[in-house]
Amino acid sequence: MESPQQPQGPQSPQSPPPGAPPQQYGGPVPPGGWQQAPQPVVSGQLAGWGSRLGAWIIDGLIVIVPSLIILAIIGGGLFATGDDGDGGFFALVGAAILTILVIVVVAFLYAPLLMMRQGANNGQTIGKQLLDIRAVRDNGQPWSFGSAALREVVMKNLAVGIASSIIPFIPWFLNYFWPLWDDQNRALHDMAVSSHVVKA
């Protein structure tokens, strides 16, 4: 008479059949049975530092120049009214503060809104699009508003800005000039969010 089957515990790995090559070690498996994290998926030729700088300048001009024109129009209108007393001065200061707030809001929204576009323009601002380069995520996923905001606003602007307020100029210099000596042409904000900039 057959004995009832006992509940089976965790199975030990079976040895490979005779003649089969031995299994390769792929690094430790994280707890919970997850497989090893995928390797970066970067397709395309890496963009050079010059094209990245050019795109940054174009994007900066797109954000700042219209705001300065608006400030000049408002300031010119105040001077044209002939109000050279305290009222005109405070109106000009108020216009300048409003213009700075508009620049800050536009700067924070500009890149994430453009980079989240679908298709071939995903990962491109207008500057990157004009210079035929794009930012890509190492995991191969397209940019969403959140991931683009993390790269462009949090890491590229806020983190570097805060660090530069503590140690003047050096964090900004290191972030923007790091691609010159990095073998994958990455800035520090690229490393922080696992991204590359490639030719489109």
Side-chain angles (χ1 to χ4, degrees):
M1 178 174 181
E2 292 185 13
S3 62
Q5 291 187 347
Q6 298 296 323
Q8 306 247 343
Q11 299 290 321
S12 61
Q14 297 179 355
S15 58
Q23 291 182 327
Q24 299 294 317
Y25 177 70
V29 177
W34 291 97
Q35 298 298 315
Q36 190 174 5
Q39 296 300 313
V41 179
V42 180
S43 59
Q45 184 180 356
L46 293 171
W49 184 79
S51 58
R52 293 184 67 158
L53 175 65
W56 179 77
I57 291 171
I58 292 169
D59 290 331
L61 291 174
I62 288 172
V63 170
I64 292 174
V65 169
S67 302
L68 293 178
I69 291 172
I70 292 169
L71 177 61
I73 291 171
I74 293 172
L78 291 173
F79 286 118
T81 61
D83 188 358
D84 52 359
D86 287 344
F89 171 76
F90 288 118
L92 184 60
V93 170
I97 291 171
L98 181 61
T99 302
I100 290 169
L101 289 175
V102 168
I103 290 173
V104 169
V105 170
V106 171
F108 281 173
L109 294 177
Y110 170 78
L113 287 174
L114 287 172
M115 288 177 64
M116 66 179 278
R117 293 178 291 171
Q118 299 298 314
N121 295 126
N122 187 263
Q124 288 185 320
T125 58
I126 293 174
K128 286 183 176 68
Q129 193 171 338
L130 289 174
L131 293 179
D132 206 28
I133 60 175
R134 63 193 296 255
V136 294
R137 298 174 70 190
D138 290 352
N139 62 10
Q141 297 295 314
W143 293 97
S144 63
F145 180 85
S147 59
L150 177 64
R151 180 184 191 269
E152 297 293 320
V153 177
V154 176
M155 299 309 301
K156 194 173 180 179
N157 292 318
L158 291 180
V160 173
I162 291 169
S164 293
S165 69
I166 298 168
I167 307 170
F169 184 69
I170 293 174
W172 181 88
F173 176 86
L174 288 175
N175 182 51
Y176 287 99
F177 286 90
W178 200 271
L180 288 173
W181 54 79
D182 183 72
D183 60 348
Q184 296 180 39
N185 295 359
R186 293 170 300 173
L188 296 180
H189 62 266
D190 290 314
M191 296 179 191
V193 300
S194 299
S195 68
H196 284 76
V197 178
V198 298
K199 294 185 177 178

